[in-house]
Amino acid sequence: MSHLKQTVALKDVKCFALHGYYPEEQLTGNHFIVDLETEFTPQGFDDELAQTVNYEELNNIILAEMKNTQKLLETVLNNIISKVTALYPFVDTVQASIKKLNPPMPGQVGHSFVKLSYTSAK
């Protein structure tokens, strides 16, 4: 007996935002790349959005949270995951990650990276 799992995700969502621990980061801003992935058991395949996760809504959540300046990227990711699980309580897992491109620190750093993963208690 097979057990289907469905993934709906957005990869490489590019944003400019004012996130950063240091006050100057919140003034100058930086470029970020966000990935968001959900996994769940499909409720059916009747060609209706009510049966799945709408990636347009995922994009809206990402863009809204990226506009909400935070000191820590972990806070941004937690807020994204909280909104996804509230909107789609049937999801089994959610993974969200952010890359901060060229973070302001000595040396040449391509990006910093933070990832949070949620697993349902079902």
Side-chain angles (χ1 to χ4, degrees):
M1 180 172 167
S2 69
H3 184 70
L4 291 176
K5 283 289 190 184
Q6 182 172 341
T7 300
V8 174
L10 288 177
K11 301 290 183 179
D12 298 333
V13 179
K14 294 172 178 62
C15 302
F16 182 84
L18 302 176
H19 303 305
Y21 185 77
Y22 300 104
E24 59 270 17
E25 291 181 283
Q26 294 186 8
L27 292 173
T28 60
N30 209 327
H31 294 276
F32 298 85
I33 297 176
V34 179
D35 289 344
L36 180 58
E37 182 172 305
T38 64
E39 186 177 84
F40 54 95
T41 301
Q43 304 300 304
F45 295 98
D46 65 1
D47 221 22
E48 295 297 327
L49 279 175
Q51 300 293 330
T52 189
V53 171
N54 181 345
Y55 52 78
E56 184 177 8
E57 289 297 330
L58 297 181
N59 191 52
N60 291 339
I61 290 169
I62 291 169
L63 296 178
E65 286 306 316
M66 292 303 287
K67 288 179 185 173
N68 183 14
T69 301
Q70 302 290 342
K71 287 183 180 178
L72 298 178
L73 298 178
E74 290 87 335
T75 304
V76 178
L77 293 176
N78 187 61
N79 292 346
I80 288 171
I81 290 172
S82 293
K83 286 187 174 180
V84 170
T85 56
L87 187 59
Y88 300 108
F90 58 85
V91 295
D92 297 319
T93 63
V94 180
Q95 290 189 359
S97 64
I98 296 179
K99 293 177 185 175
K100 180 187 275 189
L101 303 181
N102 304 304
M105 59 179 63
Q108 293 185 336
V109 179
H111 68 266
S112 57
F113 178 81
V114 178
K115 179 178 179 180
L116 280 182
S117 300
Y118 160 88
T119 302
S120 170
K122 297 181 226 176

